[in-house]
């Protein structure tokens, strides 16, 4: 039996703000979405041409408070084909939240506080 990872879910407070961040910071764009007829939720799957793995962004109308995302011990990792350009972009965006110079990596933080690792 084989299993293939297809997506991971992040709950977000503002779907449009999140979509804008992920497109600018990581080049991820909307692939498809599901919306409740009563407007109670929106689920948007984003990704890129580098992989068929998707990030599922879920917005819930009845959850106006911030999400408790723990201590940033879980995260998604992205390999950048141009690490220096990625670091420059993320510096300009002001979204770098942690750098480990010894390991040669850094983390960016999305609008809801999720950490995303960037590797060369």
């Amino acid at each position: 039996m084989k299993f293939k990872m297809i997506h991971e879910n992040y709950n977000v407070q503002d779907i449009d703000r999140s979509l804008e961040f992920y497109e600018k910071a990581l080049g991820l764009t909307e692939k498809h979405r599901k919306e409740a007829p009563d407007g109670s939720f929106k689920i948007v799957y984003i990704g890129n041409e580098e992989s068929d793995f998707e990030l599922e962004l879920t917005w819930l109308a009845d959850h106006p408070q911030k999400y408790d995302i723990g201590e940033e011990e879980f995260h998604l990792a992205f390999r950048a084909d141009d690490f220096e350009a990625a670091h420059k972009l993320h510096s300009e965006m002001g979204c770098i939240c942690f750098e480990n110079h010894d390991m040669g990596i850094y983390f960016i933080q999305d609008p809801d506080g999720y950490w995303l690792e960037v590797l060369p």
Side-chain angles (χ1 to χ4, degrees):
M1 188 175 335
K2 295 181 181 181
F3 296 91
K4 179 180 179 180
M5 292 194 315
I6 57 171
H7 73 257
E8 179 167 351
N9 176 73
Y10 284 179
N11 286 5
V12 301
Q13 289 186 291
D14 182 328
I15 197 77
D16 293 326
R17 179 183 68 178
S18 293
L19 290 170
E20 182 180 330
F21 172 84
Y22 280 97
E23 183 168 2
K24 182 174 182 179
L26 298 165
L28 304 179
T29 58
E30 182 173 333
K31 299 299 180 186
H32 51 102
R33 75 169 52 207
K34 297 177 184 176
E35 294 190 25
D38 65 358
S40 61
F41 71 83
K42 293 179 186 178
I43 300 172
V44 181
Y45 297 87
I46 59 176
N48 62 26
E49 300 303 318
E50 301 301 314
S51 169
D52 58 359
F53 184 85
E54 295 175 328
L55 178 56
E56 173 187 345
L57 301 176
T58 300
W59 172 83
L60 302 171
D62 291 335
H63 198 287
Q65 70 274 26
K66 288 188 139 203
Y67 286 97
D68 178 359
I69 58 171
E71 299 175 353
E72 291 85 29
E73 292 299 322
F74 66 91
H75 59 269
L76 286 179
F78 294 83
R79 186 172 312 281
D81 67 344
D82 187 338
F83 187 79
E84 298 305 318
H87 189 277
K88 182 178 185 294
L89 169 66
H90 297 143
S91 292
E92 291 168 357
M93 290 177 66
C95 62
I96 295 177
C97 58
F98 179 76
E99 293 189 65
N100 185 322
H101 297 285
D102 292 336
M103 293 180 68
I105 63 171
Y106 67 92
F107 290 80
I108 60 175
Q109 192 169 32
D110 86 350
D112 291 281
Y114 294 102
W115 283 32
L116 307 151
E117 182 178 2
V118 181
L119 303 114

